[in-house]
Amino acid sequence: MREILLLKLGEIVLKGLNRGMFEQRLVKNLYWRLREVGEFEIYCLQSTIYVEPKSEDVDMDAAVDAVSRVFGIVSICRAAECEKDMDIILQTAKEFLYDRLEAASTFKVDAKRADKKFPLKSPQIMIEIGSALHDAHPHLKVDVEKPELRVKIEVRDHKAYVHANPIPGAGGMPVGINGKAALLLSGGIDSPVAGYMIAKRGVSLHGIHFFSYPYTSERAKKKVLELAEKLTKYNGRLRVSMVPFTQIQEAIRDHCREDMFTLIMRRFMMRISERVARMNDCRALITGESLGQVASQTMEAMGVTGAVCTLPVLRPVVGMDKEEIVVIARKIDTFETSIQPYEDCCTVFTPKHPKTKPRLYDVEAEEKKLPVDELVEEAIAAIEVITLD
Ligand code: ATP
Ligand code: MG
């Protein structure tokens, strides 16, 4: 008896998309994400993806763990594969589900016969397997509405499969199917969540981080890379452009009005990010901004900072409360890293009374005091790219 995984895809999502492309991409992503767990054969048949270990010593718990973070999958069935023979199917069900049948108090058997040449029809398979399992575990009650254990027998073209109670998948669409976007990644709670949410919509990410050495430390940089590493569990490979920002911040501090410091700084971030995005084939920028969270995240401030770029700026957490963002941060395991107390360049030289309702005209006038293009070019020339996977 071999244990394999049967993965079910998001059906509704498939309607408007090219199904073949969706499936191919998902298979490719799965190969990549399982490469460290072991060797697998992965293929798609009749809207189900088969993940079959090539050897017996593969850790299937680790495989399930990795697969549960791959977008595009609605549910994961840990299934036992067997020959298409009723005695063998029954024996497989008895062995493979023994502990779970013992632990449950109610159950039900469903059967699906994809191979129409199989001599028994689905209802007959259900009745035969159901009553035999009942005989073997007499404490069980049948509950057709809400069984604790929903046993499923699938008779497909090549083999039969036995599984019960699928595990929820990560949902969403396969990463890469909807292009790539650039994630402005700080060390905070919000931006990793924003990246996760857009990746879930089938978008691969390119990270951009601004650091201001020596105002921000080497440790703060490491923290950001640790967050990026955690995102790779969902997003796959992630490249992060590390942008030195000290010179720009010092120039703003030395020449511009204090109450506009943050706004002008953020406009520089957006300009540089747009350039990095275009160099890396990205079609949008992503930030972790949330409406009204801080002075630079009012509608007026977002208008002023967004005015320097032409790519769309995606702000998936814009309407969420901090508590809602934290729930996701915990789920994707970035929260504990995000709350480590290392400074971000946004907290260097922050004004005491930042403008909350800036006017674009005033900010542009203030910015004219700086050699904007030159500063942008210098920062871009000094970018270091780090690859995480
Ligand atoms: P986060 O929790 O993600 O740090 P925040 O609440 O601290 O967000 P801000 O510091 O104002 O908010 O930043 C808003 C957004 O700007 C961040 O979510 C991120 O997308 C971007 N950003 C801020 N600092 C940096 C940085 N050093 N490098 C890259 N992007 C940044
Ligand atoms: Mg921040």
Side-chain angles (χ1 to χ4, degrees):
M1 179 177 61
R2 175 167 78 150
E3 186 181 13
I4 70 155
L5 304 180
L6 296 176
L7 312 178
K8 311 286 171 167
L9 315 184
E11 293 293 330
I12 303 148
V13 157
L14 287 179
K15 272 190 185 161
L17 281 170
N18 179 327
R19 178 174 210 123
M21 206 173 84
F22 187 105
E23 291 170 351
Q24 268 174 26
R25 187 69 196 210
L26 190 48
V27 167
K28 193 173 149 206
N29 291 353
L30 284 162
Y31 267 119
W32 178 256
R33 306 284 277 284
L34 284 168
R35 74 196 186 288
E36 276 165 11
V37 179
E39 271 200 72
F40 294 86
E41 184 72 38
I42 305 171
Y43 56 93
C44 189
L45 270 184
Q46 299 162 316
S47 317
T48 297
I49 291 193
Y50 292 68
V51 179
E52 303 176 349
K54 282 190 175 169
S55 59
E56 279 183 9
D57 57 353
V58 170
D59 179 351
M60 292 304 277
D61 290 339
V64 169
D65 187 53
V67 168
S68 71
R69 284 189 287 257
V70 176
F71 293 127
I73 297 160
V74 187
S75 64
I76 304 164
C77 307
R78 296 183 77 139
E81 174 193 73
C82 64
E83 294 309 317
K84 296 194 296 183
D85 171 284
M86 278 305 277
D87 290 338
I88 297 176
I89 293 172
L90 175 60
Q91 199 49 38
T92 303
K94 278 182 174 169
E95 276 175 39
F96 185 61
L97 300 175
Y98 182 85
D99 290 344
R100 296 166 80 187
L101 287 163
E102 276 297 285
S105 53
T106 58
F107 88 125
K108 174 184 187 228
V109 176
D110 283 329
K112 188 169 144 196
R113 188 185 61 140
D115 169 14
K116 301 297 175 206
K117 284 191 232 99
F118 191 72
L120 271 67
K121 290 193 173 143
S122 303
Q124 291 169 291
I125 303 173
M126 267 158 57
I127 292 165
E128 277 202 25
I129 303 285
S131 57
L133 291 179
H134 201 196
D135 289 346
H137 301 268
H139 74 283
L140 282 173
K141 286 196 177 60
V142 176
D143 182 346
V144 291
E145 298 285 327
K146 272 193 173 172
E148 258 175 59
L149 197 71
R150 193 181 286 270
V151 177
K152 184 118 187 215
I153 311 292
E154 295 192 52
V155 182
R156 290 178 170 250
D157 285 347
H158 301 292
K159 301 269 182 190
Y161 302 90
V162 176
H163 53 90
N165 292 8
I167 304 157
M173 298 188 218
V175 164
I177 203 164
N178 285 327
K180 201 196 302 182
L183 170 65
L184 281 79
L185 185 62
S186 68
I189 296 167
D190 308 329
S191 47
V193 170
Y196 159 84
M197 289 173 76
I198 297 299
K200 187 171 181 185
R201 302 310 300 157
V203 176
S204 56
L205 305 177
H206 179 97
I208 303 176
H209 178 68
F210 296 86
F211 67 97
S212 283
Y213 192 73
Y215 303 105
T216 63
S217 63
E218 216 27 61
R219 192 63 194 83
K221 223 163 138 184
K222 260 181 87 179
K223 169 184 172 182
V224 170
L225 293 176
E226 198 177 309
L227 288 172
E229 171 90 50
K230 298 210 159 179
L231 278 177
T232 64
K233 297 212 160 51
Y234 293 91
N235 171 74
R237 171 178 282 169
L238 183 60
R239 290 199 169 86
V240 185
S241 295
M242 305 294 279
V243 189
F245 210 46
T246 316
Q247 224 187 341
I248 290 173
Q249 289 197 290
E250 287 178 343
I252 306 171
R253 177 197 62 190
D254 294 344
H255 298 100
C256 302
R257 269 171 52 180
E258 194 204 328
D259 62 353
M260 290 193 187
F261 177 87
T262 308
L263 284 164
I264 295 175
M265 179 196 75
R266 295 194 62 79
R267 280 163 62 88
F268 270 97
M269 280 189 179
M270 298 305 263
R271 277 191 196 96
I272 295 169
S273 297
E274 172 142 313
R275 287 279 300 277
V276 173
R278 290 192 188 280
M279 286 189 285
N280 289 284
D281 252 347
C282 298
R283 305 280 179 259
L285 303 180
I286 307 165
T287 76
E289 289 165 298
S290 164
L291 192 59
Q293 196 185 76
V294 287
S296 60
Q297 292 174 26
T298 62
M299 288 185 281
E300 290 83 354
M302 286 189 206
V304 166
T305 51
V308 294
C309 44
T310 52
L311 284 176
V313 180
L314 309 180
R315 300 177 172 93
V317 304
V318 75
M320 290 166 73
D321 294 344
K322 198 75 185 187
E323 291 77 43
E324 293 171 310
I325 300 172
V326 165
V327 169
I328 301 180
R330 285 190 194 280
K331 184 176 105 173
I332 64 172
D333 191 32
T334 52
F335 182 74
E336 293 301 329
T337 307
S338 291
I339 58 170
Q340 287 171 16
Y342 298 104
E343 59 301 304
D344 178 51
C345 68
C346 278
T347 54
V348 178
F349 316 136
T350 39
K352 279 185 213 71
H353 302 290
K355 272 217 165 312
T356 53
K357 292 195 174 165
R359 288 187 309 190
L360 184 56
Y361 176 86
D362 295 334
V363 179
E364 283 175 345
E366 196 61 22
E367 219 173 52
K368 289 222 169 70
K369 297 176 182 168
L370 301 173
V372 173
D373 293 343
E374 222 177 289
L375 287 168
V376 167
E377 291 308 329
E378 278 175 27
I380 288 174
I383 285 176
E384 184 195 354
V385 181
I386 297 175
T387 302
L388 302 151
D389 45 35

